[in-house]
Amino acid sequence: MQSKTISLANHSTQHEETVECPACGHKDTGSYCSACGNTLQHKRISLKSLLGSILDFFSDIETNYVHTFKGLLFRPANFIARYIKGERNESYIPFKYFFLNLSINFFVYTKFDLANLSENTFDVEVDQLVQLKSDIVFEQLIDDYGSFFSLLIIPVYVLCNKILFPSSKYNLAELATAITFMMGQLMLLEVVINLISVVFPGFYHFSRFLVMIAELGILFVLAYKLMKDKWYHALWKSGLTLAVIFLAMRMVLMGTQEILACIYDN
């Protein structure tokens, strides 16, 4: 009955342009497809809508992004707990927040060539002459995409948290949300550290140590403030979780290196 109604509506506008249905491919006229009922109207992208989307993007950064940054900077556990409970209108989506900050960090890292900041160009060329092809590809992979390996922290943290906090009221998705928010904040810290290293190259040698301390601090805050554990339990559980994360990342990197060796060195 619905198909017949749509067909009659279309036949009443026979002089309209024939349009191919984007859903089923049937060519028809009118507002709706007589075969599947999908709309046939094609809304063009106008200059006004394009400018509006750009303004919405910057408006979103100005309000939601800043609100999220401030919340995670001053009261991270409280901010995350409220987000999980449903107060999300003024907050950035956790993965969106993480990937945006990761992109900023990646841009700074590659723009100022921080991978070779403390290395002599001649020494690098000599090393490449004696290195295996797989080692060169591996180092390039780490230099270009090393930050993306940090995504491994999410499942490892969630798994460790479920084991160390078996009576936790948070489910897997909520735990992933918590660590993703904190990782996004960590990316901004790395941006600051990288910019300082550009001005003071000697500072770059201590950057990994500072990031490690920050990672331990993030895990401690989540365990102590969000999970409501006693501080001494939160401390050792954070240290254990960090050790498991490093072990898992090391295994992934070693596995990646072995795969590259099989591809390039055989």
Side-chain angles (χ1 to χ4, degrees):
M1 181 67 182
Q2 180 182 1
S3 178
K4 185 180 294 185
T5 304
I6 294 172
S7 181
L8 290 173
N10 287 339
H11 286 312
S12 64
T13 55
Q14 292 179 357
H15 298 291
E16 294 184 12
E17 181 183 358
T18 302
V19 179
E20 182 176 337
C21 176
C24 67
H26 177 71
K27 293 183 178 181
D28 210 337
T29 59
S31 301
Y32 299 95
C33 175
S34 59
C36 67
N38 188 67
T39 179
L40 294 177
Q41 293 179 348
H42 176 60
K43 188 175 182 180
R44 300 291 298 272
I45 299 176
S46 64
L47 182 60
K48 181 181 178 180
S49 64
L50 182 62
L51 292 176
S53 63
I54 295 174
L55 291 176
D56 287 342
F57 172 77
F58 286 105
S59 176
D60 191 30
I61 289 181
E62 184 180 357
T63 55
N64 294 16
Y65 181 88
V66 173
H67 175 78
T68 302
F69 170 75
K70 288 181 178 179
L72 293 172
L73 181 64
F74 297 109
R75 302 188 66 186
N78 180 265
F79 173 84
I80 292 171
R82 287 189 289 106
Y83 183 89
I84 291 175
K85 288 180 180 179
E87 298 180 28
R88 302 166 188 168
N89 291 336
E90 297 181 353
S91 303
Y92 232 51
I93 299 173
F95 278 95
K96 187 178 179 181
Y97 185 73
F98 169 71
F99 279 111
L100 177 59
N101 294 343
L102 176 65
S103 301
I104 296 172
N105 185 39
F106 181 73
F107 171 78
V108 172
Y109 189 85
T110 54
K111 175 67 176 179
F112 298 102
D113 196 20
L114 290 172
N116 300 318
L117 186 65
S118 59
E119 296 181 0
N120 182 275
T121 304
F122 177 77
D123 292 337
V124 172
E125 292 177 352
V126 172
D127 289 339
Q128 289 182 347
L129 290 176
V130 298
Q131 275 183 317
L132 295 173
K133 176 66 175 177
S134 62
D135 292 335
I136 297 175
V137 174
F138 179 75
E139 290 182 1
Q140 189 65 40
L141 178 68
I142 296 300
D143 290 342
D144 292 343
Y145 306 105
S147 296
F148 291 94
F149 281 94
S150 59
L151 287 171
L152 181 64
I153 294 176
I154 299 175
V156 176
Y157 168 80
V158 171
L159 178 62
C160 290
N161 202 283
K162 295 303 291 184
I163 295 173
L164 296 174
F165 300 94
S167 59
S168 170
K169 63 180 180 180
Y170 299 111
N171 61 31
L172 299 179
E174 290 167 343
L175 292 173
T177 296
I179 191 61
T180 303
F181 266 132
M182 298 302 281
M183 285 171 58
Q185 203 74 346
L186 179 65
M187 289 297 111
L188 290 180
L189 176 62
E190 290 194 24
V191 170
V192 175
I193 291 175
N194 288 336
L195 290 175
I196 294 175
S197 299
V198 173
V199 181
F200 305 103
F203 183 77
Y204 185 74
H205 297 288
F206 303 99
S207 61
R208 187 63 252 177
F209 176 74
L210 292 176
V211 171
M212 187 184 304
I213 295 298
E215 289 171 346
L216 180 61
I218 284 172
L219 296 175
F220 177 77
V221 168
L222 291 177
Y224 182 52
K225 293 291 187 178
L226 186 66
M227 309 304 295
K228 305 297 183 182
D229 205 356
K230 295 180 179 179
W231 71 267
Y232 46 88
H233 287 312
L235 187 60
W236 75 260
K237 289 178 182 179
S238 301
L240 180 60
T241 302
L242 186 62
V244 174
I245 289 173
F246 282 148
L247 179 61
M249 293 189 71
R250 181 173 178 82
M251 292 177 63
V252 169
L253 293 175
M254 290 176 62
T256 302
Q257 199 166 19
E258 289 296 326
I259 293 173
L260 292 175
C262 293
I263 296 174
Y264 292 100
D265 298 338
N266 290 337

